[in-house]
Amino acid sequence: MAGNRPVRIVQEPVTFTCALFDSEDGVRWYCNHCQENLCDRCKEFHQRGKKTQNDDVVPIGEANRQGDKPVPQVCKIHPGKLYDLFCSDCDALLCLICLSKNHKHHNWKLLEDELSVRKEHFKKHKTTIADKIAHFKNVTSERQRVNKTFKDNIDTTRKEVNSQRTKLKAEVDSIAEAVLTDLASLEKEESLLYKNDIKNLEKNVEELTCLLEKAEVIDTSSVFIFQTEMSLRKTLPLYDVEVKFGLPKQPSFVTGSIDHVLLTKMLGELHEYEKIKIDSNNVQRLSRFTVTQLKKISSISPVDDRHAWLSIDHNRGLVLVNREGVVKETVKLDFCPYRTTSVGTTDILMTSNPPSTFVYKISLNNKLLTTFADIRPHKAYDISINEKDEVFVSTGTPVIVVLNHSGTIVRKVPCGTDGKCITCLSSGNIAVSDHFDISIITDSFGTTKYKWSGENNSSSKPIIRNLFKMSRDKYDRLFVPDSYNNQVYVLPGDSTQATCLINWTFLKVNEPTAVGVDTCGNVWIGCVNGKVHVIKL
């Protein structure tokens, strides 16, 4: 439908007036900085002036701004005519001749009216561009952070490999030195024996030679032969040639064979675990042990695929155990730690039991304990760290306290439930449990993405649940212990359908209360009776 504005079919030739001389003669230039029309003479003066010599002066048809009004532009099809109109159907600029010839029955409007609309769209486009720039900058920053973390992990692993190699070399050197020391001792012992034997033999030769010389000068027809013969009869038995000297047993070195498999096991192996589909029938128990009888395991923080720190109910300290249950280290504290989370490999953050307003930090290098944060009036229950090193603390209320790496409160996030257990996912989401359900929180405003209420792949949904300390793996799969149903549920990061990890026929896990996933994807499960199960998916 054509616009309802009157249109002049005949259009006068386009003319412009010089801003300085108010003349139309030779006005062919436009200053984008001053937003003024210029004649030839003014253009020359303009480009000589100290303040204006660097201005952007262009042919008037190429002007790119003139206040809020559209800059006059000559029609490319009909020279001498200006674009005055806009055809909505063709999305094209029109002069009056264009309208009369090809667009008379189209939807058209004045160029100024369309310009105001386009400006609003333009503003939105600029906002969209800015948002996309910010997004890609954030993605770039995150990718750089992940890359740095990856490189740091490579550097740390490289140091560990070199350290293990040094230890292995030192052990081999120690064994070799022990053999060489034994050889030196045998050599010294033989040297002493040799010197003593040679000394005695040479003494015998010397004495016997002397006896022989005396015997040879005695006249056998003389009566002295009787005395000499009797003397020799008594002396010669002292030089028994049948006596055996203690000859040394010749040492021999049996060369050992190089066992590559054993050496690899001793040095260590590099693991990159793949995302394996959870199947309770195919899980494998790597070990099972009891740290302390009938005391609940409150939290498990794996160090690597062989060791983990445990906090144990009513125990004033942390315990480092290996996968076989051997206690490798104990850190004594003046309170009972409750929930823990590792800060790299050097520090551990923890809450206390009973809950207090404090979050504690302990350095594993010097065992120095400090108060990391005081979140009063809230009490600290569980604790978790996200990919940005922000510390999230559940408070047993519908509020989550967020701390920076220095322990300063930076914000509080509503979670819509009395959150007891908390785990940060790599996606940026937060999993919060009130011991019965799990809410997945998506942003700082506490938006709930979804709530998990026990849905799983078994035949029935448990009516009663008692959920405890959760953990996630590198694929954001959430491992949730349910002490009431003797089960550990595996909840994908993007679904409300969980998988049951525990098959009671193969793994008799009794009342699990804490889960930790190590660097190789092995799952450490702590129970209310003090038992720990380490399983491989």
Side-chain angles (χ1 to χ4, degrees):
M1 174 181 176
N4 57 4
R5 298 177 182 270
V7 179
R8 292 181 295 111
I9 301 302
V10 179
Q11 190 177 45
E12 299 296 330
V14 178
T15 58
F16 302 100
T17 303
C18 179
L20 299 180
F21 292 101
D22 196 24
S23 169
E24 298 178 357
D25 295 336
V27 182
R28 293 189 288 269
W29 309 98
Y30 184 81
C31 178
N32 284 325
H33 284 84
C34 301
Q35 298 189 10
E36 293 178 343
N37 299 327
L38 302 174
C39 64
D40 294 337
R41 185 172 55 173
C42 288
K43 177 208 174 191
E44 184 178 348
F45 291 147
H46 209 77
Q47 293 181 329
R48 288 181 182 178
K50 290 184 179 180
K51 295 183 178 180
T52 59
Q53 61 182 353
N54 294 322
D55 285 3
D56 183 23
V57 178
V58 297
I60 201 166
E62 300 176 9
N64 60 17
R65 64 178 183 269
Q66 192 176 13
D68 292 332
K69 296 182 179 181
V71 176
Q73 187 174 352
V74 177
C75 179
K76 296 180 181 179
I77 300 176
H78 306 102
K81 303 299 180 181
L82 291 179
Y83 286 133
D84 286 329
L85 307 168
F86 177 78
C87 179
S88 299
D89 293 344
C90 301
D91 196 23
L93 298 175
L94 310 176
C95 71
L96 292 176
I97 296 179
C98 293
L99 176 65
S100 63
K101 287 189 175 182
N102 300 314
H103 304 269
K104 187 181 299 184
H105 301 292
H106 292 183
N107 289 307
W108 54 267
K109 62 178 72 174
L110 291 179
L111 183 58
E112 291 186 17
D113 295 342
E114 178 63 18
L115 181 62
S116 63
V117 175
R118 292 302 174 101
K119 282 184 176 180
E120 291 301 319
H121 292 168
F122 191 68
K123 288 180 182 178
K124 293 180 180 179
H125 290 327
K126 289 197 295 182
T127 301
T128 301
I129 291 173
D131 291 342
K132 289 181 180 293
I133 290 174
H135 169 77
F136 286 118
K137 282 185 176 180
N138 289 335
V139 173
T140 300
S141 176
E142 177 64 14
R143 187 63 183 88
Q144 290 171 340
R145 189 196 64 76
V146 171
N147 178 257
K148 183 180 182 302
T149 301
F150 181 84
K151 288 184 176 179
D152 290 345
N153 181 51
I154 292 294
D155 290 340
T156 301
T157 304
R158 186 178 288 112
K159 290 177 182 178
E160 291 174 351
V161 170
N162 285 328
S163 174
Q164 193 72 353
R165 175 168 60 182
T166 300
K167 291 177 182 178
L168 202 56
K169 284 182 176 179
E171 191 63 30
V172 172
D173 289 343
S174 175
I175 295 172
E177 285 298 325
V179 175
L180 293 175
T181 300
D182 288 343
L183 287 175
S185 177
L186 290 173
E187 184 180 30
K188 183 178 180 180
E189 182 181 349
E190 163 58 12
S191 177
L192 293 174
L193 289 173
Y194 172 75
K195 289 180 180 179
N196 186 58
D197 289 346
I198 292 299
K199 181 179 179 180
N200 291 332
L201 290 171
E202 289 178 345
K203 180 182 178 182
N204 289 342
V205 170
E206 182 180 354
E207 292 176 351
L208 289 170
T209 300
C210 183
L211 287 176
L212 181 60
E213 290 175 350
K214 289 180 179 179
E216 287 179 347
V217 298
I218 294 177
D219 186 357
T220 56
S221 62
S222 171
V223 294
F224 290 107
I225 193 172
F226 291 97
Q227 296 176 351
T228 304
E229 189 274 335
M230 291 178 61
S231 175
L232 291 176
R233 191 188 311 164
K234 295 178 180 179
T235 303
L236 287 177
L238 298 178
Y239 302 94
D240 187 3
V241 296
E242 299 296 330
V243 175
K244 302 293 184 181
F245 288 94
L247 297 178
K249 184 179 180 181
Q250 296 296 330
S252 63
F253 180 70
V254 181
T255 304
S257 59
I258 304 300
D259 190 332
H260 179 76
V261 175
L262 181 59
L263 281 176
T264 300
K265 185 177 180 180
M266 294 171 67
L267 177 68
E269 296 178 273
L270 183 64
H271 289 280
E272 261 192 298
Y273 71 93
E274 300 178 356
K275 184 175 182 180
I276 301 172
K277 185 178 179 181
I278 303 299
D279 186 348
S280 61
N281 294 321
N282 293 330
V283 296
Q284 175 187 353
R285 178 188 283 125
L286 299 178
S287 65
R288 178 176 60 185
F289 56 87
T290 301
V291 180
T292 178
Q293 290 289 348
L294 302 178
K295 286 190 177 181
K296 181 176 70 175
I297 306 298
S298 299
S299 188
I300 301 177
S301 294
V303 177
D304 48 35
D305 65 328
R306 299 292 304 179
H307 302 84
W309 286 98
L310 307 180
S311 65
I312 304 169
D313 199 26
H314 301 301
N315 181 53
R316 291 177 176 266
L318 295 174
V319 179
L320 178 67
V321 298
N322 65 11
R323 208 166 68 186
E324 287 68 45
V326 178
V327 176
K328 309 298 291 186
E329 190 175 354
T330 299
V331 178
K332 297 296 184 182
L333 303 170
D334 57 3
F335 64 92
C336 296
Y338 186 39
R339 299 292 165 74
T340 65
T341 187
S342 297
V343 185
T345 58
T346 59
D347 303 304
I348 289 181
L349 292 178
M350 70 190 86
T351 60
S352 61
N353 189 18
S356 70
T357 64
F358 297 109
V359 176
Y360 300 93
K361 181 178 181 179
I362 186 169
S363 172
L364 298 177
N365 294 327
N366 54 19
K367 305 303 181 292
L368 177 64
L369 179 70
T370 58
T371 299
F372 180 72
D374 185 352
I375 65 169
R376 67 182 63 195
H378 302 289
K379 291 185 177 181
Y381 279 76
D382 199 3
I383 187 168
S384 184
I385 302 177
N386 70 2
E387 299 288 324
K388 298 179 181 179
D389 292 331
E390 293 178 313
V391 180
F392 287 70
V393 184
S394 63
T395 63
T397 72
V399 174
I400 298 171
V401 176
V402 185
L403 312 170
N404 62 17
H405 66 279
S406 300
T408 303
I409 297 176
V410 294
R411 64 181 184 277
K412 295 182 179 181
V413 179
C415 61
T417 183
D418 294 336
K420 297 294 196 305
C421 305
I422 187 169
T423 298
C424 294
L425 306 178
S426 63
S427 61
N429 297 337
I430 312 162
V432 183
S433 168
D434 58 3
H435 287 324
F436 190 73
D437 295 323
I438 296 175
S439 297
I440 305 297
I441 310 299
T442 61
D443 55 32
S444 59
F445 299 101
T447 303
T448 300
K449 182 178 180 181
Y450 62 83
K451 179 177 287 189
W452 179 77
S453 300
E455 296 83 359
N456 61 77
N457 62 343
S458 65
S459 58
S460 62
K461 170 182 173 181
I463 300 176
I464 301 176
R465 297 177 294 280
N466 195 13
L467 310 180
F468 281 89
K469 176 61 177 175
M470 307 175 289
S471 184
R472 70 166 178 89
D473 65 5
K474 63 185 291 186
Y475 300 107
D476 264 359
R477 294 184 298 197
L478 199 62
F479 292 75
V480 186
D482 179 358
S483 66
Y484 188 86
N485 294 285
N486 298 324
Q487 187 57 256
V488 174
Y489 305 105
V490 185
L491 183 64
D494 55 356
S495 171
T496 59
Q497 182 70 19
T499 300
C500 293
L501 181 65
I502 304 303
N503 186 324
W504 189 256
T505 303
F506 305 107
L507 298 173
K508 293 178 173 57
V509 177
N510 187 39
E511 296 184 70
T513 53
V515 172
V517 183
D518 67 27
T519 54
C520 290
N522 302 321
V523 183
W524 298 57
I525 305 172
C527 300
V528 72
N529 57 4
K531 287 189 180 296
V532 176
H533 305 256
V534 184
I535 66 173
K536 182 178 181 180
L537 302 182

